[in-house]
């Protein structure tokens, strides 16, 4: 433990952070599987390994690290694992860009290995960043979804859910990205607003309005509303599709909106979700006009081989030429796009793998989880209620978990591996036994891979050591922290899968954080030039300033707008605290042997009672994941109660050799110790440095503070003491006196309340302070008369002085009652209202005093005592 003289005058955040990173060991934060402590397992979000942490990552991990550090101090056996969600299209695209190839230019396994190599490199860079930021991650429980140990469990979960009827394969319309050449789930569809053209054309005598004329070759029916009189008698008839000349039936359906367009709709397979509903309910034909690369099929005749946009323009041109295009109107449109590449999605029919969505199971489990904030549950419930299709989990890509299925080349029997054979790649590995149906040894491996959410949605099972069969003993986990943007994906899918695989909820609680917005209030993006990186922030102000910004910037669940002012405020708070620590340590170390902790003055008891309230407030806030409330309570106490008020009150004692000095030293020691512990989850580097200089050792080894100095009387009287001192200092300032100038005698009347401040108020204000609990005996004395010359002068002119002398000559009681007229040179002269005002002063026992009021207290100042 160094002496306070060793503390630099300015806080060197860079040096402090390097020093404590060297002190902390990975083992300090390991989860102890044999511990009898209550467990606290955090199902942390595995980031996609891009190689760089963005400011949103920093926000998420600060929240999680605060929880982890706090729970350890509360005596919990904490697991704060780090995962990496590796599989997915972005890595494939990056590999293609780096090597100048497409995924089809090299063998499948070679391309996958390129993806693995890039991912490992990116993980290394991000792992390094997380360590530099000091997050107390449990690296012994790190997981990487592309490693065999992990994706083998993903495959085990697939086989379990397949066996239990949750997973099935079927020909079905799915959302499809023609750029990525893969099916995507509804949760991966993003929406953009734009304007398109609504085209009215003659459809064999019936006017049709459509935004997608390129799907004309996919038309399978025309639909009208059954009560639309414009189309009476049309039901059951057939119409000939323009340009393509084949018949389609006319059907009636109440879902048709008569007010939209012409009221007659062409049903295409598939233009949108409603087309799918009509296709199913009316058992219509299937005509595929667009293939999986976004190219028009042979079904489209002369337009085959065109891209959809090119086909649209060509068909509209042909409609105009043939005279069937009647008119066009602009129409606002909400377009579904691929969340990865923003390409408009198509709805294509293909054989895919699906997970059954059972809303009642998901809703029941979601309601059994405690949500922070509570209203975020509504988002998941709304998403669950609106699910119309099952979850499509197959993808037509390469870098993902292989679907562990073969098909017999002779009889098409589905062949599954045994649990002991996992993990497998069916495009490389073969079944160990002949086909049980026909005995063939010729097999075709499934080439589709699993949606990456199939990997990450079993994270709570993986970190609790699931074996693919039995629910772990430490399951469910205690907390899922995540952003509100992935409630409908990661939260939804994890709940679905956990219920299917264990029959239980995955976590006891879920904490939802918001997104980070740029200083302009918009989502950060390079195009808006509003991106802030964690490295930039840390270089300028340090990790702990970043952590304070994250913690205090917004309530849990709310988006946070980045502001450099908030970061600067965080840095200034650390500077203020550092000055408090340096000053306090000098006093604590001085003559420390002269200790008499029993001599606690009012200010000491006031501060400790206030501090007890802060401990309770911060504890309650962190239990409710309200980081902003907790940190604000700490800051307010340290800055206002401790620095601005208490230290100013007790400096006189600390600079003296009074017996009560020990009480101030003891109070300061307790306050600093407690503040270091309260700050430890928020600013671990700063708290570690301060605690080391105060008490030696490491703050990460200490318990959460337990302070019970609650004293309502001391708080009330202490608040009055603080207000009295502030009022007297303000009086001195307004009187032009230096703050250390002698003030004289001050009697403070607090009727019915006995107060003894131990002399702190007097030493702070350089006054002789007397506290009295009786009623003051005040005499009011007329001390002066003020005249309003703006009234006196114009009214009385030459007689103004004589009038003022006449008013001064009146007795005090007459002046106080109000004067209507006075005698001047034998004549009564009327005095206008507002011409004068009596000035009264007060006296105690015949001596004039200045009165100030502070709440119910009365301060009587005798400047010449």
């Amino acid at each position: 433990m160094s002496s306070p003289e060793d503390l630099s005058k300015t806080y060197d955040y860079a040096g402090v952070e390097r020093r404590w990173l060297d002190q902390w060991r990975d083992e300090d934060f390991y989860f102890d599987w044999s511990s009898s402590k209550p467990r606290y397992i955090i199902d942390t979000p595995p980031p996609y390994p891009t190689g760089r942490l963005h400011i949103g990552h920093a926000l998420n991990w600060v929240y999680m690290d605060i929880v982890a550090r706090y729970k350890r101090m509360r005596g919990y056996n904490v697991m704060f694992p780090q995962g990496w969600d590796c599989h997915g299209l972005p890595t494939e695209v990056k590999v293609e860009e780096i090597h100048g190839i497409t995924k089809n230019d090299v063998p499948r396994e070679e391309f996958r290995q390129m993806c693995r190599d890039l991912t490992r490199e990116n993980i290394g860079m991000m792992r390094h960043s997380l360590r530099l930021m000091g997050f107390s991650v449990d690296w012994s429980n790190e997981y990487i979804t592309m490693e065999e140990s992990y994706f083998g469990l993903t495959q085990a979960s697939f086989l379990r859910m397949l066996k239990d009827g949750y997973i099935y394969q079927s020909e079905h319309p799915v959302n499809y990205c023609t750029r990525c050449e893969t099916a995507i789930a509804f949760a991966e569809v993003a929406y953009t607003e734009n304007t398109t053209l609504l085209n009215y054309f003659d459809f064999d005598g019936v006017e049709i309005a459509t935004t997608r004329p390129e799907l004309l070759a996919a038309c399978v029916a025309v639909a009208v509303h059954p009560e639309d009189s414009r189309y009476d008698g049309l039901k059951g008839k057939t119409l000939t599709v323009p340009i393509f000349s084949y018949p389609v039936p006319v059907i009636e359906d109440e879902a048709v909106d008569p007010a939209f367009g012409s009221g007659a709709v062409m049903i295409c397979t598939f233009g949108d979700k409603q087309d799918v509903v009509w296709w199913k309910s009316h058992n219509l034909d299937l005509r595929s006009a667009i293939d999986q690369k976004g190219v028009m099929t042979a079904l489209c005749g002369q337009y085959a081989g065109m891209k959809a946009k090119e086909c649209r323009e060509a068909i509209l041109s042909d409609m105009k030429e043939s005279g069937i295009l009647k008119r066009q109107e602009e129409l606002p449109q909400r377009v579904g796009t691929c969340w990865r590449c923003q390409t408009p999605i198509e709805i294509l029919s293909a054989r895919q793998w699906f997970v059954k969505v059972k809303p009642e199971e998901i809703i029941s489990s979601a309601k059994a989880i405690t949500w922070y904030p509570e209203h975020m549950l509504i988002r998941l419930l709304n998403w669950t209620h609106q699910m119309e299709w099952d979850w499509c989990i197959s993808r037509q890509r390469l870098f993902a978990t292989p679907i562990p299925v073969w098909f017999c080349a002779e009889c098409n029997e589905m062949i599954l591996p045994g649990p002991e054979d996992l993990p497998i790649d069916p495009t490389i590995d073969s079944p160990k036994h002949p086909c049980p149906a026909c005995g063939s040894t010729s097999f075709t491996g499934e080439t589709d891979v699993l949606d990456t959410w199939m990997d990450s949605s079993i994270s709570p099972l993986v970190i609790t050591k699931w074996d693919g069969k039995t629910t772990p003993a430490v399951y469910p986990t205690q907390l899922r922290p995540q952003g509100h943007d992935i409630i409908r994906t990661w939260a939804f899918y994890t709940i679905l899968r956990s219920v299917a695989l264990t029959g239980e909820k995955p976590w006891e609680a879920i904490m939802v954080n918001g997104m980070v917005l740029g200083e302009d209030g918009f989502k950060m993006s390079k195009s808006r030039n509003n991106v802030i990186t964690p490295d930039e922030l840390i270089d300028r102000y340090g990790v702990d300033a970043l952590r304070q910004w994250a913690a205090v910037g917004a309530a849990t669940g709310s988006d946070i707008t980045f502001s450099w002012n908030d970061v600067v405020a965080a840095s200034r708070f650390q500077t203020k605290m550092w000055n408090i620590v340096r000053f306090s340590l000098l006093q604590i170390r001085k003559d420390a042997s002269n200790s008499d902790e029993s001599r606690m003055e009012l200010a000491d008891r006031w501060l400790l009672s206030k501090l007890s309230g802060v401990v309770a407030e911060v504890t309650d806030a962190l239990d409710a994941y309200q980081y902003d409330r907790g940190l604000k309570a700490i800051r307010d106490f340290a800055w206002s109660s401790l620095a601005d008020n208490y230290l100013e009150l007790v400096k006189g004692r600390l600079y003296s050799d009074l017996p009560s000095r020990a009480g101030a030293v003891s109070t300061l020691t307790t306050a600093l110790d407690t503040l270091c512990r309260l700050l430890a989850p928020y600013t671990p580097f700063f708290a570690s440095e301060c605690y080391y200089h105060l008490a030696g050792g490491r703050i990460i080894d200490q318990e959460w503070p337990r302070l019970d100095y609650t004293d309502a009387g001391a708080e009330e009287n202490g608040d009055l003491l603080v207000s009295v001192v502030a009022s007297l200092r303000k009086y001195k300032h307004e009187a032009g006196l230096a703050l250390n100038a002698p003030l004289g005698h001050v009697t403070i009347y607090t009727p019915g309340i006995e107060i003894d401040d131990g002399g702190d108020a007097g030493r702070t204000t350089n006054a002789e302070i007397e506290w009295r609990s009786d009623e003051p005996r005040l005499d009011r004395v007329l001390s002066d008369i003020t005249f309003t010359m703006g009234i006196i002068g114009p009214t009385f002119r030459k007689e103004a002085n004589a009038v003022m002398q006449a008013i001064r000559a009146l007795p005090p009681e007459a002046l106080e009652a109000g004067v209507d007229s006075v005698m001047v040179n034998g004549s009564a002269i009327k005095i206008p209202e507002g011409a004068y005002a009596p000035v009264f002063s007060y006296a105690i026992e015949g001596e004039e005093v200045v009165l100030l009021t502070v709440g119910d207290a009365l301060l009587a100042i005798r400047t010449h005592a």
Side-chain angles (χ1 to χ4, degrees):
M1 182 167 50
S2 63
S3 67
E5 289 81 2
D6 294 334
L7 272 68
S8 61
K9 288 186 177 181
T10 58
Y11 178 64
D12 175 19
Y13 62 82
V16 167
E17 288 168 9
R18 284 194 301 270
R19 181 159 58 253
W20 285 105
L21 282 176
D22 291 339
Q23 291 288 324
W24 296 333
R25 306 179 302 269
D26 283 354
E27 305 85 71
D28 292 328
F29 309 119
Y30 283 175
F31 181 77
D32 184 355
W33 290 93
S34 62
S35 174
S36 60
K37 292 180 178 180
R39 67 179 180 274
Y40 193 85
I41 300 175
I42 307 172
D43 179 24
T44 56
Y48 199 81
T50 60
R52 293 183 65 84
L53 292 179
H54 56 66
I55 198 71
H57 288 137
L59 178 77
N60 295 359
W61 264 256
V62 166
Y63 281 2
M64 292 184 287
D65 193 52
I66 290 173
V67 174
R69 290 178 181 274
Y70 167 67
K71 291 295 184 180
R72 289 190 194 101
M73 295 181 77
R74 291 296 302 271
Y76 286 86
N77 179 28
V78 173
M79 183 196 294
F80 176 16
Q82 180 60 53
W84 306 99
D85 189 13
C86 308
H87 292 133
L89 182 67
T91 298
E92 293 190 25
V93 172
K94 193 66 177 178
V95 166
E96 290 175 332
E97 177 187 318
I98 291 171
H99 296 281
I101 60 172
T102 71
K103 70 181 192 303
N104 300 317
D105 291 340
V106 296
R108 177 187 179 99
E109 184 54 30
E110 182 179 343
F111 186 80
R112 286 168 59 85
Q113 186 59 46
M114 291 178 181
C115 292
R116 285 191 286 266
D117 291 342
L118 176 61
T119 300
R120 289 193 181 97
E121 180 183 341
N122 287 343
I123 287 175
M125 290 188 289
M126 294 178 74
R127 188 186 287 130
H128 179 69
S129 295
L130 289 173
R131 286 183 176 278
L132 285 181
M133 294 176 73
F135 296 126
S136 59
V137 167
D138 177 1
W139 293 106
S140 69
N141 282 294
E142 182 181 23
Y143 62 87
I144 301 173
T145 61
M146 71 178 184
E147 299 293 350
E148 290 187 349
S149 59
Y150 192 103
F151 81 72
L153 291 173
T154 301
Q155 291 182 332
S157 71
F158 174 92
L159 294 176
R160 275 277 305 277
M161 293 177 69
L162 180 65
K163 178 183 176 182
D164 293 342
Y166 274 94
I167 289 178
Y168 63 95
Q169 191 182 35
S170 174
E171 177 86 16
H172 193 279
V174 294
N175 295 313
Y176 200 91
C177 175
T178 56
R179 158 63 181 81
C180 301
E181 296 183 33
T182 184
I184 63 174
F186 267 111
E188 297 172 309
V189 177
Y191 290 91
T192 59
E193 306 293 334
N194 67 2
T195 301
T196 189
L197 288 175
L198 183 62
N199 306 280
Y200 292 80
F201 69 102
D202 186 315
F203 193 112
D204 196 13
V206 175
E207 189 176 64
I208 296 287
T210 181
T211 61
R212 300 206 62 185
E214 69 272 21
L215 292 180
L216 192 59
C219 180
V220 292
V222 170
V224 296
H225 194 280
E227 296 180 5
D228 192 336
S229 59
R230 293 174 295 177
Y231 303 109
D232 286 346
L234 204 56
K235 180 183 179 182
K237 293 187 177 182
T238 60
L239 299 174
T240 299
V241 178
I243 297 178
F244 296 97
S245 302
Y246 65 91
V248 294
V250 178
I251 63 173
E252 292 182 341
D253 196 290
E254 291 185 351
V256 176
D257 181 3
F260 179 78
S262 65
V265 181
M266 70 173 191
I267 301 173
C268 301
T269 52
F270 297 97
D272 56 23
K273 286 194 294 183
Q274 185 58 52
D275 282 346
V276 177
V277 174
W278 284 327
W279 171 73
K280 282 184 175 181
S281 61
H282 294 281
N283 194 27
L284 299 173
D285 292 338
L286 177 66
R287 294 176 63 90
S288 299
I290 300 178
D291 70 12
Q292 295 182 353
K293 293 186 177 181
V295 173
M296 308 312 292
T297 67
L299 192 72
C300 300
Q302 61 183 312
Y303 309 105
M306 294 182 180
K307 288 287 188 180
K309 184 178 180 181
E310 181 186 1
C311 178
R312 177 185 304 183
E313 293 172 353
I315 287 182
L316 286 173
S317 176
D318 290 345
M319 283 182 172
K320 287 179 182 177
E321 186 175 337
S322 63
I324 65 173
L325 183 63
K326 303 302 182 183
R327 65 187 186 281
Q328 296 174 305
E329 297 175 354
E330 285 194 348
L331 180 73
Q333 187 180 45
R334 189 166 182 256
V335 178
T337 64
C338 173
W339 71 285
R340 299 180 184 93
C341 66
Q342 288 74 55
T343 300
I345 62 165
E346 298 290 349
I347 299 177
L348 305 182
S349 183
R351 194 158 189 83
Q352 303 282 354
W353 293 90
F354 297 88
V355 169
K356 288 183 180 178
V357 174
K358 300 182 179 181
E360 66 284 352
E361 289 186 354
I362 297 168
I363 290 170
S364 176
S365 182
K367 288 182 175 179
I369 297 164
T370 303
W371 290 70
Y372 297 94
E374 187 177 0
H375 69 266
M376 287 295 173
L377 169 62
I378 301 300
R379 294 199 185 188
L380 185 127
L381 297 182
N382 288 343
W383 175 249
T384 306
H385 285 305
Q386 72 184 54
M387 288 292 289
E388 297 176 355
W389 298 354
D390 287 334
W391 173 20
C392 178
I393 59 170
S394 48
R395 299 291 182 267
Q396 292 69 53
R397 299 300 303 181
L398 297 181
F399 185 49
T401 296
I403 295 178
V405 170
W406 297 274
F407 295 95
C408 175
E410 298 296 329
C411 68
N412 207 38
E413 178 77 8
M414 184 187 298
I415 311 296
L416 304 176
E420 69 281 358
D421 299 327
L422 301 176
I424 65 145
D425 184 340
T427 65
I428 299 174
D429 304 315
S430 298
K432 293 184 176 180
H433 306 284
C435 173
C438 70
S440 172
T441 57
S442 180
F443 305 97
T444 300
E446 173 64 81
T447 57
D448 281 2
V449 293
L450 288 172
D451 177 6
T452 188
W453 293 110
M454 284 288 286
D455 290 330
S456 59
S457 60
I458 59 168
S459 59
L461 281 163
V462 172
I463 63 175
T464 53
K465 303 302 184 189
W466 185 52
D467 61 2
K469 304 170 187 176
T470 309
T471 302
V474 295
Y475 189 85
T477 65
Q478 279 59 62
L479 181 68
R480 154 64 69 85
Q482 67 163 71
H484 62 59
D485 59 322
I486 51 175
I487 287 176
R488 69 180 193 174
T489 48
W490 196 34
F492 177 86
Y493 293 144
T494 304
I495 294 172
L496 183 161
R497 301 255 276 142
S498 295
V499 174
L501 293 166
T502 71
E504 296 185 47
K505 61 186 179 184
W507 340 279
E508 293 174 0
I510 179 170
M511 174 192 70
V512 182
N513 62 267
M515 301 294 102
V516 182
L517 307 178
E519 287 191 281
D520 56 4
F522 291 93
K523 182 179 179 181
M524 287 190 178
S525 66
K526 291 181 181 178
S527 63
R528 299 193 68 90
N529 195 31
N530 65 349
V531 175
I532 300 294
T533 67
D535 290 345
E536 182 180 358
L537 195 157
I538 292 169
D539 288 345
R540 292 174 63 177
Y541 295 100
V543 172
D544 281 336
L546 179 150
R547 293 174 67 100
Q548 284 193 68
W549 159 77
V552 84
T556 309
S558 300
D559 290 341
I560 173 174
T561 300
F562 180 82
S563 169
W564 280 110
N565 289 337
D566 293 339
V567 182
V568 171
S571 178
R572 286 176 177 168
F573 171 69
Q574 288 172 193
T575 297
K576 183 72 171 181
M577 273 299 303
W578 187 249
N579 291 336
I580 292 170
V581 171
R582 289 185 72 252
F583 171 81
S584 300
L585 285 178
L586 284 169
Q587 304 308 316
I588 291 169
R589 298 288 183 264
K590 188 191 303 179
D591 194 18
S593 60
N594 181 21
S595 178
D596 179 9
E597 295 187 13
S598 63
R599 185 66 182 270
M600 305 289 280
E601 300 293 358
L602 173 60
D604 306 326
R605 290 180 279 114
W606 170 80
L607 187 79
L608 293 177
S609 186
K610 289 274 190 186
L611 183 56
S612 293
V614 172
V615 171
E617 172 77 359
V618 177
T619 302
D620 183 70
L622 290 182
D623 283 340
Y625 309 102
Q626 295 175 350
Y627 311 109
D628 56 330
R629 177 161 68 94
L631 184 54
K632 286 173 183 175
I634 297 171
R635 283 181 172 184
D636 289 347
F637 173 84
W639 203 293
S640 178
S641 299
L642 177 57
D644 292 350
N645 292 314
Y646 180 76
L647 286 179
E648 292 302 318
L649 275 171
V650 302
K651 275 182 181 177
R653 249 195 295 160
L654 291 171
Y655 293 150
S656 75
D657 56 1
L658 293 168
S660 60
R661 180 184 185 278
V665 168
S666 173
T667 300
L668 270 182
T669 304
T670 299
L672 292 188
D673 180 276
T674 302
L675 281 174
C676 285
R677 293 170 192 253
L678 293 177
L679 282 169
Y682 288 102
T683 57
F685 295 104
F686 182 82
S688 293
E689 186 74 0
C690 294
Y691 185 82
Y692 174 76
H693 288 294
L694 174 70
R698 304 187 308 171
I699 193 69
I700 64 172
D701 299 324
Q702 310 309 312
E703 294 182 350
W704 189 247
R706 301 168 185 262
L707 204 62
D708 188 16
Y709 280 92
T710 304
D711 186 334
E715 282 206 51
E716 184 177 354
N717 293 342
D719 286 342
L720 176 59
L721 170 62
V722 167
S723 297
V724 163
V725 169
S727 182
L728 291 175
R729 298 184 81 167
K730 180 181 178 183
Y731 169 79
K732 293 177 78 172
H733 173 74
E734 291 175 348
L737 299 172
L739 291 181
N740 62 351
L743 183 57
H745 186 95
V746 180
T747 304
I748 305 171
Y749 293 92
T750 56
I753 302 174
E754 296 282 350
I755 293 181
D756 178 6
D757 73 345
D760 283 336
R763 286 185 289 269
T764 303
T765 59
N766 197 9
E768 182 182 342
I769 302 288
E770 176 188 8
W771 294 85
R772 294 184 58 165
S773 60
D774 58 337
E775 294 282 353
R777 303 176 71 177
L778 294 173
D779 297 319
R780 193 165 74 151
V781 179
L782 178 67
S783 58
D784 197 4
I785 299 173
T786 60
F787 293 96
T788 306
M789 297 310 297
I791 296 175
I792 294 287
T795 303
F796 302 111
R797 298 184 181 277
K798 293 181 180 180
E799 293 183 327
N801 285 331
V803 170
M804 289 189 290
Q805 289 177 7
I807 292 174
R808 287 185 183 280
L810 296 173
E813 56 272 16
L815 290 168
E816 186 173 3
V819 176
D820 293 329
S821 62
V822 293
M823 298 298 295
V824 175
N825 298 324
S827 300
I829 296 179
K830 187 176 180 180
I831 305 298
E833 185 176 354
Y836 79 96
V839 177
F840 295 94
S841 61
Y842 296 87
I844 296 178
E845 297 175 355
E847 186 171 356
E848 185 176 329
V849 296
V850 175
L851 292 184
L852 303 175
T853 57
V854 178
D856 294 332
L858 183 69
L859 281 62
I861 303 172
R862 283 176 281 186
T863 58
H864 302 290

